[in-house]
Amino acid sequence: MSSEARLYSFSQETESRLRKFRLGTSRAKEPQAVIYQIDKQSLEIAQVGDEVFTNIQELADELPDHSPRFVLLSYPLTLPSGRLSVPYVLLYYLPVTCNAELRMLYAGAKELMRNTAEVGKVIEIVDIEELESIEGKLGGAE
């Protein structure tokens, strides 16, 4: 058991939601995203609300200005070859304005969240405006 797994936890409900979201978005026709946060007292990682965002701007509006979050994103896109791809990624939202304690809290849980959610890639974003160019990052262009 990794040290992260001993420190941070997921409820059975959260693990079930993670699995359901991953399996349910593999054939999605539009972007789908859910936001996760860490409870500072219990160190439990849980979904924020029940909303599944299908609009990147609405997702951006929901992210706090000064607190990190994990965002699971399934984003259908057409590759240059014409093939449809649906990357399933973890957006590690770490605003520059958040305090050191929160930075450390989320940094310590990043790999556990990545492995538990079974995402293909982790993309770190520090500014909400970076969400506007997320398609380019998913397509491989930086």
Side-chain angles (χ1 to χ4, degrees), residues 67-100:
S67 296
R69 292 290 184 267
F70 295 124
V71 179
L72 293 176
L73 175 67
S74 176
Y75 196 99
L77 50 93
T78 305
L79 301 175
S81 65
R83 197 172 59 96
L84 180 68
S85 176
V86 187
Y88 177 58
V89 299
L90 173 66
L91 299 180
Y92 177 39
Y93 174 63
L94 191 65
V96 199
T97 56
C98 75
N99 68 41

PDB file of all heavy atoms in Angstrom, residues 67-100:
ATOM      1  N   SER A  67      -8.357  27.832  -4.792  1.00  0.00           N
ATOM      2  CA  SER A  67      -8.248  26.477  -4.249  1.00  0.00           C
ATOM      3  C   SER A  67      -8.020  25.468  -5.366  1.00  0.00           C
ATOM      4  O   SER A  67      -8.664  25.557  -6.405  1.00  0.00           O
ATOM      5  CB  SER A  67      -9.536  26.091  -3.512  1.00  0.00           C
ATOM      6  OG  SER A  67      -9.738  26.905  -2.402  1.00  0.00           O
ATOM      7  N   PRO A  68      -7.141  24.508  -5.136  1.00  0.00           N
ATOM      8  CA  PRO A  68      -6.907  23.473  -6.147  1.00  0.00           C
ATOM      9  C   PRO A  68      -8.109  22.534  -6.257  1.00  0.00           C
ATOM     10  O   PRO A  68      -8.912  22.429  -5.327  1.00  0.00           O
ATOM     11  CB  PRO A  68      -5.691  22.708  -5.625  1.00  0.00           C
ATOM     12  CG  PRO A  68      -5.271  23.361  -4.368  1.00  0.00           C
ATOM     13  CD  PRO A  68      -6.289  24.338  -3.976  1.00  0.00           C
ATOM     14  N   ARG A  69      -8.213  21.841  -7.359  1.00  0.00           N
ATOM     15  CA  ARG A  69      -9.247  20.822  -7.578  1.00  0.00           C
ATOM     16  C   ARG A  69      -8.705  19.788  -8.547  1.00  0.00           C
ATOM     17  O   ARG A  69      -7.798  20.049  -9.326  1.00  0.00           O
ATOM     18  CB  ARG A  69     -10.534  21.415  -8.176  1.00  0.00           C
ATOM     19  CG  ARG A  69     -11.315  22.346  -7.271  1.00  0.00           C
ATOM     20  CD  ARG A  69     -11.971  21.603  -6.118  1.00  0.00           C
ATOM     21  NE  ARG A  69     -12.792  22.486  -5.310  1.00  0.00           N
ATOM     22  CZ  ARG A  69     -12.383  23.126  -4.229  1.00  0.00           C
ATOM     23  NH1 ARG A  69     -11.140  23.012  -3.818  1.00  0.00           N
ATOM     24  NH2 ARG A  69     -13.213  23.893  -3.543  1.00  0.00           N
ATOM     25  N   PHE A  70      -9.301  18.604  -8.494  1.00  0.00           N
ATOM     26  CA  PHE A  70      -9.070  17.581  -9.505  1.00  0.00           C
ATOM     27  C   PHE A  70     -10.302  17.577 -10.387  1.00  0.00           C
ATOM     28  O   PHE A  70     -11.429  17.591  -9.883  1.00  0.00           O
ATOM     29  CB  PHE A  70      -8.918  16.192  -8.870  1.00  0.00           C
ATOM     30  CG  PHE A  70      -7.700  16.041  -7.996  1.00  0.00           C
ATOM     31  CD1 PHE A  70      -7.824  15.640  -6.683  1.00  0.00           C
ATOM     32  CD2 PHE A  70      -6.424  16.277  -8.500  1.00  0.00           C
ATOM     33  CE1 PHE A  70      -6.705  15.482  -5.879  1.00  0.00           C
ATOM     34  CE2 PHE A  70      -5.303  16.118  -7.702  1.00  0.00           C
ATOM     35  CZ  PHE A  70      -5.442  15.721  -6.384  1.00  0.00           C
ATOM     36  N   VAL A  71     -10.113  17.574 -11.695  1.00  0.00           N
ATOM     37  CA  VAL A  71     -11.236  17.525 -12.627  1.00  0.00           C
ATOM     38  C   VAL A  71     -11.030  16.335 -13.552  1.00  0.00           C
ATOM     39  O   VAL A  71     -10.002  16.233 -14.218  1.00  0.00           O
ATOM     40  CB  VAL A  71     -11.329  18.824 -13.473  1.00  0.00           C
ATOM     41  CG1 VAL A  71     -12.491  18.735 -14.456  1.00  0.00           C
ATOM     42  CG2 VAL A  71     -11.457  20.048 -12.583  1.00  0.00           C
ATOM     43  N   LEU A  72     -11.992  15.424 -13.558  1.00  0.00           N
ATOM     44  CA  LEU A  72     -11.955  14.313 -14.505  1.00  0.00           C
ATOM     45  C   LEU A  72     -12.654  14.786 -15.759  1.00  0.00           C
ATOM     46  O   LEU A  72     -13.778  15.288 -15.696  1.00  0.00           O
ATOM     47  CB  LEU A  72     -12.658  13.088 -13.932  1.00  0.00           C
ATOM     48  CG  LEU A  72     -11.958  12.452 -12.741  1.00  0.00           C
ATOM     49  CD1 LEU A  72     -12.791  11.301 -12.198  1.00  0.00           C
ATOM     50  CD2 LEU A  72     -10.575  11.966 -13.127  1.00  0.00           C
ATOM     51  N   LEU A  73     -11.994  14.646 -16.891  1.00  0.00           N
ATOM     52  CA  LEU A  73     -12.522  15.162 -18.148  1.00  0.00           C
ATOM     53  C   LEU A  73     -12.467  14.090 -19.233  1.00  0.00           C
ATOM     54  O   LEU A  73     -11.426  13.474 -19.461  1.00  0.00           O
ATOM     55  CB  LEU A  73     -11.713  16.382 -18.596  1.00  0.00           C
ATOM     56  CG  LEU A  73     -12.052  16.984 -19.960  1.00  0.00           C
ATOM     57  CD1 LEU A  73     -13.450  17.597 -19.958  1.00  0.00           C
ATOM     58  CD2 LEU A  73     -11.019  18.036 -20.341  1.00  0.00           C
ATOM     59  N   SER A  74     -13.596  13.895 -19.875  1.00  0.00           N
ATOM     60  CA  SER A  74     -13.688  13.047 -21.062  1.00  0.00           C
ATOM     61  C   SER A  74     -14.048  13.997 -22.190  1.00  0.00           C
ATOM     62  O   SER A  74     -15.085  14.662 -22.141  1.00  0.00           O
ATOM     63  CB  SER A  74     -14.777  11.995 -20.854  1.00  0.00           C
ATOM     64  OG  SER A  74     -14.947  11.233 -22.018  1.00  0.00           O
ATOM     65  N   TYR A  75     -13.172  14.085 -23.212  1.00  0.00           N
ATOM     66  CA  TYR A  75     -13.329  15.125 -24.220  1.00  0.00           C
ATOM     67  C   TYR A  75     -13.219  14.533 -25.616  1.00  0.00           C
ATOM     68  O   TYR A  75     -12.113  14.268 -26.104  1.00  0.00           O
ATOM     69  CB  TYR A  75     -12.237  16.193 -24.017  1.00  0.00           C
ATOM     70  CG  TYR A  75     -12.501  17.478 -24.733  1.00  0.00           C
ATOM     71  CD1 TYR A  75     -13.036  18.570 -24.052  1.00  0.00           C
ATOM     72  CD2 TYR A  75     -12.217  17.622 -26.088  1.00  0.00           C
ATOM     73  CE1 TYR A  75     -13.265  19.767 -24.705  1.00  0.00           C
ATOM     74  CE2 TYR A  75     -12.445  18.817 -26.745  1.00  0.00           C
ATOM     75  CZ  TYR A  75     -12.969  19.880 -26.049  1.00  0.00           C
ATOM     76  OH  TYR A  75     -13.212  21.070 -26.687  1.00  0.00           O
ATOM     77  N   PRO A  76     -14.369  14.292 -26.280  1.00  0.00           N
ATOM     78  CA  PRO A  76     -14.319  13.738 -27.632  1.00  0.00           C
ATOM     79  C   PRO A  76     -13.702  14.731 -28.622  1.00  0.00           C
ATOM     80  O   PRO A  76     -14.018  15.913 -28.587  1.00  0.00           O
ATOM     81  CB  PRO A  76     -15.782  13.489 -27.997  1.00  0.00           C
ATOM     82  CG  PRO A  76     -16.582  13.828 -26.801  1.00  0.00           C
ATOM     83  CD  PRO A  76     -15.717  14.535 -25.825  1.00  0.00           C
ATOM     84  N   LEU A  77     -12.807  14.233 -29.450  1.00  0.00           N
ATOM     85  CA  LEU A  77     -12.238  15.083 -30.492  1.00  0.00           C
ATOM     86  C   LEU A  77     -11.890  14.224 -31.704  1.00  0.00           C
ATOM     87  O   LEU A  77     -11.681  13.026 -31.596  1.00  0.00           O
ATOM     88  CB  LEU A  77     -11.022  15.870 -29.993  1.00  0.00           C
ATOM     89  CG  LEU A  77      -9.902  15.149 -29.262  1.00  0.00           C
ATOM     90  CD1 LEU A  77      -8.818  14.719 -30.233  1.00  0.00           C
ATOM     91  CD2 LEU A  77      -9.306  16.096 -28.248  1.00  0.00           C
ATOM     92  N   THR A  78     -11.876  14.885 -32.848  1.00  0.00           N
ATOM     93  CA  THR A  78     -11.539  14.196 -34.089  1.00  0.00           C
ATOM     94  C   THR A  78     -10.067  14.429 -34.384  1.00  0.00           C
ATOM     95  O   THR A  78      -9.611  15.572 -34.447  1.00  0.00           O
ATOM     96  CB  THR A  78     -12.415  14.716 -35.250  1.00  0.00           C
ATOM     97  OG1 THR A  78     -13.787  14.571 -34.880  1.00  0.00           O
ATOM     98  CG2 THR A  78     -12.144  13.945 -36.520  1.00  0.00           C
ATOM     99  N   LEU A  79      -9.343  13.350 -34.535  1.00  0.00           N
ATOM    100  CA  LEU A  79      -7.907  13.426 -34.824  1.00  0.00           C
ATOM    101  C   LEU A  79      -7.682  13.848 -36.270  1.00  0.00           C
ATOM    102  O   LEU A  79      -8.586  13.733 -37.099  1.00  0.00           O
ATOM    103  CB  LEU A  79      -7.273  12.063 -34.553  1.00  0.00           C
ATOM    104  CG  LEU A  79      -7.412  11.536 -33.127  1.00  0.00           C
ATOM    105  CD1 LEU A  79      -6.848  10.124 -33.027  1.00  0.00           C
ATOM    106  CD2 LEU A  79      -6.712  12.450 -32.145  1.00  0.00           C
ATOM    107  N   PRO A  80      -6.476  14.329 -36.609  1.00  0.00           N
ATOM    108  CA  PRO A  80      -6.180  14.718 -37.997  1.00  0.00           C
ATOM    109  C   PRO A  80      -6.454  13.591 -38.999  1.00  0.00           C
ATOM    110  O   PRO A  80      -6.775  13.845 -40.158  1.00  0.00           O
ATOM    111  CB  PRO A  80      -4.692  15.074 -37.960  1.00  0.00           C
ATOM    112  CG  PRO A  80      -4.439  15.471 -36.540  1.00  0.00           C
ATOM    113  CD  PRO A  80      -5.371  14.622 -35.709  1.00  0.00           C
ATOM    114  N   SER A  81      -6.374  12.355 -38.534  1.00  0.00           N
ATOM    115  CA  SER A  81      -6.630  11.213 -39.417  1.00  0.00           C
ATOM    116  C   SER A  81      -8.122  11.013 -39.673  1.00  0.00           C
ATOM    117  O   SER A  81      -8.512  10.180 -40.483  1.00  0.00           O
ATOM    118  CB  SER A  81      -6.057   9.939 -38.794  1.00  0.00           C
ATOM    119  OG  SER A  81      -6.757   9.639 -37.589  1.00  0.00           O
ATOM    120  N   GLY A  82      -8.973  11.788 -38.948  1.00  0.00           N
ATOM    121  CA  GLY A  82     -10.418  11.663 -39.104  1.00  0.00           C
ATOM    122  C   GLY A  82     -11.043  10.708 -38.096  1.00  0.00           C
ATOM    123  O   GLY A  82     -12.258  10.597 -38.006  1.00  0.00           O
ATOM    124  N   ARG A  83     -10.214  10.034 -37.324  1.00  0.00           N
ATOM    125  CA  ARG A  83     -10.694   9.089 -36.330  1.00  0.00           C
ATOM    126  C   ARG A  83     -11.171   9.827 -35.077  1.00  0.00           C
ATOM    127  O   ARG A  83     -10.566  10.809 -34.662  1.00  0.00           O
ATOM    128  CB  ARG A  83      -9.559   8.126 -35.968  1.00  0.00           C
ATOM    129  CG  ARG A  83      -9.976   6.877 -35.273  1.00  0.00           C
ATOM    130  CD  ARG A  83      -8.799   5.922 -35.156  1.00  0.00           C
ATOM    131  NE  ARG A  83      -7.691   6.490 -34.421  1.00  0.00           N
ATOM    132  CZ  ARG A  83      -7.480   6.284 -33.115  1.00  0.00           C
ATOM    133  NH1 ARG A  83      -8.282   5.525 -32.424  1.00  0.00           N
ATOM    134  NH2 ARG A  83      -6.436   6.840 -32.524  1.00  0.00           N
ATOM    135  N   LEU A  84     -12.260   9.343 -34.468  1.00  0.00           N
ATOM    136  CA  LEU A  84     -12.771   9.935 -33.235  1.00  0.00           C
ATOM    137  C   LEU A  84     -11.998   9.368 -32.056  1.00  0.00           C
ATOM    138  O   LEU A  84     -11.788   8.165 -31.961  1.00  0.00           O
ATOM    139  CB  LEU A  84     -14.268   9.640 -33.064  1.00  0.00           C
ATOM    140  CG  LEU A  84     -14.901  10.215 -31.800  1.00  0.00           C
ATOM    141  CD1 LEU A  84     -14.953  11.744 -31.875  1.00  0.00           C
ATOM    142  CD2 LEU A  84     -16.293   9.657 -31.596  1.00  0.00           C
ATOM    143  N   SER A  85     -11.561  10.239 -31.168  1.00  0.00           N
ATOM    144  CA  SER A  85     -10.847   9.843 -29.963  1.00  0.00           C
ATOM    145  C   SER A  85     -11.552  10.486 -28.775  1.00  0.00           C
ATOM    146  O   SER A  85     -12.050  11.613 -28.875  1.00  0.00           O
ATOM    147  CB  SER A  85      -9.400  10.315 -30.043  1.00  0.00           C
ATOM    148  OG  SER A  85      -8.727  10.024 -28.843  1.00  0.00           O
ATOM    149  N   VAL A  86     -11.614   9.762 -27.666  1.00  0.00           N
ATOM    150  CA  VAL A  86     -12.232  10.318 -26.461  1.00  0.00           C
ATOM    151  C   VAL A  86     -11.229  10.193 -25.309  1.00  0.00           C
ATOM    152  O   VAL A  86     -11.306   9.273 -24.503  1.00  0.00           O
ATOM    153  CB  VAL A  86     -13.563   9.603 -26.107  1.00  0.00           C
ATOM    154  CG1 VAL A  86     -14.255  10.318 -24.947  1.00  0.00           C
ATOM    155  CG2 VAL A  86     -14.492   9.542 -27.308  1.00  0.00           C
ATOM    156  N   PRO A  87     -10.255  11.115 -25.240  1.00  0.00           N
ATOM    157  CA  PRO A  87      -9.282  11.051 -24.151  1.00  0.00           C
ATOM    158  C   PRO A  87      -9.969  11.235 -22.795  1.00  0.00           C
ATOM    159  O   PRO A  87     -10.895  12.042 -22.656  1.00  0.00           O
ATOM    160  CB  PRO A  87      -8.340  12.222 -24.421  1.00  0.00           C
ATOM    161  CG  PRO A  87      -8.650  12.707 -25.776  1.00  0.00           C
ATOM    162  CD  PRO A  87     -10.013  12.232 -26.132  1.00  0.00           C
ATOM    163  N   TYR A  88      -9.521  10.451 -21.814  1.00  0.00           N
ATOM    164  CA  TYR A  88     -10.024  10.533 -20.449  1.00  0.00           C
ATOM    165  C   TYR A  88      -8.851  10.962 -19.588  1.00  0.00           C
ATOM    166  O   TYR A  88      -7.881  10.217 -19.431  1.00  0.00           O
ATOM    167  CB  TYR A  88     -10.567   9.161 -20.038  1.00  0.00           C
ATOM    168  CG  TYR A  88     -11.051   9.070 -18.609  1.00  0.00           C
ATOM    169  CD1 TYR A  88     -12.049   9.906 -18.138  1.00  0.00           C
ATOM    170  CD2 TYR A  88     -10.511   8.133 -17.739  1.00  0.00           C
ATOM    171  CE1 TYR A  88     -12.495   9.822 -16.849  1.00  0.00           C
ATOM    172  CE2 TYR A  88     -10.963   8.029 -16.440  1.00  0.00           C
ATOM    173  CZ  TYR A  88     -11.950   8.877 -15.992  1.00  0.00           C
ATOM    174  OH  TYR A  88     -12.392   8.783 -14.700  1.00  0.00           O
ATOM    175  N   VAL A  89      -8.891  12.202 -19.096  1.00  0.00           N
ATOM    176  CA  VAL A  89      -7.738  12.786 -18.414  1.00  0.00           C
ATOM    177  C   VAL A  89      -8.117  13.369 -17.056  1.00  0.00           C
ATOM    178  O   VAL A  89      -9.284  13.627 -16.769  1.00  0.00           O
ATOM    179  CB  VAL A  89      -7.076  13.895 -19.275  1.00  0.00           C
ATOM    180  CG1 VAL A  89      -6.569  13.349 -20.592  1.00  0.00           C
ATOM    181  CG2 VAL A  89      -8.028  15.052 -19.503  1.00  0.00           C
ATOM    182  N   LEU A  90      -7.086  13.588 -16.263  1.00  0.00           N
ATOM    183  CA  LEU A  90      -7.236  14.281 -14.986  1.00  0.00           C
ATOM    184  C   LEU A  90      -6.652  15.671 -15.156  1.00  0.00           C
ATOM    185  O   LEU A  90      -5.475  15.815 -15.493  1.00  0.00           O
ATOM    186  CB  LEU A  90      -6.496  13.528 -13.879  1.00  0.00           C
ATOM    187  CG  LEU A  90      -6.411  14.218 -12.518  1.00  0.00           C
ATOM    188  CD1 LEU A  90      -7.794  14.357 -11.886  1.00  0.00           C
ATOM    189  CD2 LEU A  90      -5.485  13.450 -11.592  1.00  0.00           C
ATOM    190  N   LEU A  91      -7.476  16.680 -14.974  1.00  0.00           N
ATOM    191  CA  LEU A  91      -6.974  18.053 -14.958  1.00  0.00           C
ATOM    192  C   LEU A  91      -6.620  18.359 -13.508  1.00  0.00           C
ATOM    193  O   LEU A  91      -7.464  18.258 -12.615  1.00  0.00           O
ATOM    194  CB  LEU A  91      -8.037  19.037 -15.452  1.00  0.00           C
ATOM    195  CG  LEU A  91      -8.538  18.843 -16.873  1.00  0.00           C
ATOM    196  CD1 LEU A  91      -9.587  19.898 -17.209  1.00  0.00           C
ATOM    197  CD2 LEU A  91      -7.403  18.872 -17.868  1.00  0.00           C
ATOM    198  N   TYR A  92      -5.383  18.696 -13.279  1.00  0.00           N
ATOM    199  CA  TYR A  92      -4.896  19.030 -11.946  1.00  0.00           C
ATOM    200  C   TYR A  92      -4.873  20.550 -11.883  1.00  0.00           C
ATOM    201  O   TYR A  92      -3.949  21.193 -12.357  1.00  0.00           O
ATOM    202  CB  TYR A  92      -3.516  18.412 -11.761  1.00  0.00           C
ATOM    203  CG  TYR A  92      -2.813  18.709 -10.476  1.00  0.00           C
ATOM    204  CD1 TYR A  92      -3.491  18.757  -9.260  1.00  0.00           C
ATOM    205  CD2 TYR A  92      -1.441  18.912 -10.470  1.00  0.00           C
ATOM    206  CE1 TYR A  92      -2.819  19.020  -8.080  1.00  0.00           C
ATOM    207  CE2 TYR A  92      -0.752  19.163  -9.292  1.00  0.00           C
ATOM    208  CZ  TYR A  92      -1.444  19.217  -8.099  1.00  0.00           C
ATOM    209  OH  TYR A  92      -0.775  19.475  -6.929  1.00  0.00           O
ATOM    210  N   TYR A  93      -5.964  21.112 -11.346  1.00  0.00           N
ATOM    211  CA  TYR A  93      -6.132  22.566 -11.301  1.00  0.00           C
ATOM    212  C   TYR A  93      -5.455  23.101 -10.051  1.00  0.00           C
ATOM    213  O   TYR A  93      -5.859  22.807  -8.932  1.00  0.00           O
ATOM    214  CB  TYR A  93      -7.627  22.902 -11.319  1.00  0.00           C
ATOM    215  CG  TYR A  93      -7.927  24.370 -11.122  1.00  0.00           C
ATOM    216  CD1 TYR A  93      -7.493  25.323 -12.043  1.00  0.00           C
ATOM    217  CD2 TYR A  93      -8.656  24.809 -10.024  1.00  0.00           C
ATOM    218  CE1 TYR A  93      -7.777  26.665 -11.859  1.00  0.00           C
ATOM    219  CE2 TYR A  93      -8.950  26.148  -9.841  1.00  0.00           C
ATOM    220  CZ  TYR A  93      -8.503  27.070 -10.755  1.00  0.00           C
ATOM    221  OH  TYR A  93      -8.782  28.410 -10.576  1.00  0.00           O
ATOM    222  N   LEU A  94      -4.388  23.855 -10.241  1.00  0.00           N
ATOM    223  CA  LEU A  94      -3.585  24.375  -9.139  1.00  0.00           C
ATOM    224  C   LEU A  94      -3.325  25.866  -9.363  1.00  0.00           C
ATOM    225  O   LEU A  94      -2.289  26.246  -9.922  1.00  0.00           O
ATOM    226  CB  LEU A  94      -2.260  23.596  -9.074  1.00  0.00           C
ATOM    227  CG  LEU A  94      -1.390  23.798  -7.858  1.00  0.00           C
ATOM    228  CD1 LEU A  94      -2.079  23.280  -6.599  1.00  0.00           C
ATOM    229  CD2 LEU A  94      -0.059  23.092  -8.053  1.00  0.00           C
ATOM    230  N   PRO A  95      -4.282  26.713  -8.953  1.00  0.00           N
ATOM    231  CA  PRO A  95      -4.103  28.153  -9.206  1.00  0.00           C
ATOM    232  C   PRO A  95      -2.876  28.712  -8.474  1.00  0.00           C
ATOM    233  O   PRO A  95      -2.529  28.260  -7.392  1.00  0.00           O
ATOM    234  CB  PRO A  95      -5.394  28.786  -8.669  1.00  0.00           C
ATOM    235  CG  PRO A  95      -6.083  27.755  -7.873  1.00  0.00           C
ATOM    236  CD  PRO A  95      -5.494  26.428  -8.208  1.00  0.00           C
ATOM    237  N   VAL A  96      -2.240  29.687  -9.086  1.00  0.00           N
ATOM    238  CA  VAL A  96      -1.035  30.297  -8.530  1.00  0.00           C
ATOM    239  C   VAL A  96      -1.332  30.940  -7.176  1.00  0.00           C
ATOM    240  O   VAL A  96      -0.450  31.012  -6.322  1.00  0.00           O
ATOM    241  CB  VAL A  96      -0.485  31.388  -9.489  1.00  0.00           C
ATOM    242  CG1 VAL A  96       0.965  31.701  -9.197  1.00  0.00           C
ATOM    243  CG2 VAL A  96      -0.648  30.991 -10.919  1.00  0.00           C
ATOM    244  N   THR A  97      -2.571  31.369  -6.968  1.00  0.00           N
ATOM    245  CA  THR A  97      -2.934  32.104  -5.763  1.00  0.00           C
ATOM    246  C   THR A  97      -3.288  31.223  -4.564  1.00  0.00           C
ATOM    247  O   THR A  97      -3.588  31.746  -3.500  1.00  0.00           O
ATOM    248  CB  THR A  97      -4.140  33.015  -6.057  1.00  0.00           C
ATOM    249  OG1 THR A  97      -5.200  32.206  -6.575  1.00  0.00           O
ATOM    250  CG2 THR A  97      -3.779  34.101  -7.040  1.00  0.00           C
ATOM    251  N   CYS A  98      -3.244  29.906  -4.696  1.00  0.00           N
ATOM    252  CA  CYS A  98      -3.604  29.071  -3.544  1.00  0.00           C
ATOM    253  C   CYS A  98      -2.428  28.971  -2.574  1.00  0.00           C
ATOM    254  O   CYS A  98      -1.268  29.096  -2.959  1.00  0.00           O
ATOM    255  CB  CYS A  98      -4.104  27.696  -3.976  1.00  0.00           C
ATOM    256  SG  CYS A  98      -2.851  26.557  -4.524  1.00  0.00           S
ATOM    257  N   ASN A  99      -2.755  28.726  -1.303  1.00  0.00           N
ATOM    258  CA  ASN A  99      -1.703  28.711  -0.282  1.00  0.00           C
ATOM    259  C   ASN A  99      -0.883  27.418  -0.313  1.00  0.00           C
ATOM    260  O   ASN A  99      -1.285  26.421  -0.900  1.00  0.00           O
ATOM    261  CB  ASN A  99      -2.286  28.987   1.112  1.00  0.00           C
ATOM    262  CG  ASN A  99      -3.169  27.871   1.622  1.00  0.00           C
ATOM    263  OD1 ASN A  99      -2.867  26.691   1.462  1.00  0.00           O
ATOM    264  ND2 ASN A  99      -4.267  28.237   2.264  1.00  0.00           N
ATOM    265  N   ALA A 100       0.259  27.449   0.338  1.00  0.00           N
ATOM    266  CA  ALA A 100       1.201  26.330   0.313  1.00  0.00           C
ATOM    267  C   ALA A 100       0.609  25.063   0.913  1.00  0.00           C
ATOM    268  O   ALA A 100       0.870  23.960   0.435  1.00  0.00           O
ATOM    269  CB  ALA A 100       2.479  26.716   1.043  1.00  0.00           C
TER     270      ALA A 100
END
